[in-house]
Amino acid sequence: REHSLELAKQEDLLRKQKENVALLLNTPINNNYVVNIKKLPPYTVCTCRDNVKDIAHIPPAFSKRFKEMTQTYTDLSLSQPNYCYVTFVDTSHKDTDIEVEYAEAVTKALENKSSFVFKTLTDCTIACVEHRGAYENIPNAYAALFKWLASSGYQMAGTVRERFIHGAWNGRSEADWLIEIQVPIKGLGE
């Protein structure tokens, strides 16, 4: 019975993910996005979860949580080059009241405190696109990436990450914000 419940949960999660991909595949895309494949090394990350009103509130909330993290861990050493990202905890698409998990790569795990949890990520291969500009326009980059994925011979092998490279937190104007959308992938036969 327990196994049946877990299987039903997994089937429901897969159905919701397929619905999200179907939504993206029906979104008109801007052809300025180029999909790249990269290998990521293993990382140790400091994570925390938060609820945001909508996607426009993710960058400022991320900045706030980063400040809290560095105040909580005064001896925290960030990885160089910097690697930070957001994943979406909700399994289905939501426009409002979105639960996200923030992650910042660090040189070593410390003791979990308050809402901060350290995790180790394994190395992986990703497909990614870079989105430059307003965060509200990021669905176009998702559409390009998922349309590529649907015809590429690869499949998703993990949770989508939004890697923050440049933004309001480092003094950039909105036109210069840079976010890389990353999808862990594997070949169809793997």
Side-chain angles (χ1 to χ4, degrees):
R1 177 170 152 83
E2 230 176 85
H3 179 69
S4 295
L5 288 174
E6 183 60 31
L7 187 58
K9 283 182 187 177
Q10 289 177 357
E11 287 173 348
D12 187 51
L13 175 63
L14 184 58
R15 181 187 54 75
K16 289 177 181 177
Q17 288 175 340
K18 285 181 179 179
E19 288 171 3
N20 291 343
V21 170
L23 254 174
L24 288 168
L25 291 176
N26 290 321
T27 302
I29 63 168
N30 172 339
N31 289 328
N32 293 332
Y33 292 103
V34 176
V35 176
N36 292 299
I37 297 176
K38 298 180 183 179
K39 290 282 246 180
L40 292 183
Y43 284 102
T44 299
V45 294
C46 180
T47 68
C48 64
R49 290 188 176 192
D50 205 350
N51 277 66
V52 294
K53 180 179 176 182
D54 55 38
I55 64 169
H57 287 84
I58 291 174
F62 185 89
S63 294
K64 177 184 171 201
R65 292 305 238 155
F66 178 77
K67 184 177 180 182
E68 291 171 10
M69 180 181 64
T70 56
Q71 289 171 342
T72 302
Y73 296 100
T74 55
D75 56 342
L76 189 66
S77 177
L78 303 180
S79 293
Q80 295 300 323
N82 176 275
Y83 183 71
C84 59
Y85 65 88
V86 169
T87 59
F88 295 87
V89 178
D90 296 310
T91 57
S92 60
H93 175 78
K94 291 174 72 176
D95 290 325
T96 59
D97 190 32
I98 304 166
E99 187 177 3
V100 294
E101 181 175 76
Y102 304 106
E104 181 76 40
V106 296
T107 57
K108 67 177 181 176
L110 300 175
E111 181 183 338
N112 295 340
K113 292 182 184 176
S114 183
S115 61
F116 297 102
V117 176
F118 288 85
K119 298 179 181 181
T120 301
L121 305 176
T122 60
D123 61 326
C124 66
T125 301
I126 61 165
C128 57
V129 296
E130 290 184 347
H131 170 74
R132 190 173 297 277
Y135 196 77
E136 291 82 4
N137 297 326
I138 205 165
N140 295 325
Y142 272 94
L145 181 57
F146 279 94
K147 284 185 179 185
W148 176 88
L149 193 59
S151 64
S152 69
Y154 291 98
Q155 62 186 4
M156 287 180 66
T159 305
V160 176
R161 302 173 188 166
E162 290 183 4
R163 178 181 179 212
F164 293 98
I165 301 170
H166 298 301
W169 59 90
N170 61 3
R172 303 290 176 128
S173 70
E174 189 174 87
D176 293 327
W177 289 2
L178 181 59
I179 298 167
E180 182 179 67
I181 302 169
Q182 303 177 338
V183 177
I185 57 171
K186 63 182 180 179
L188 291 177
E190 293 180 44

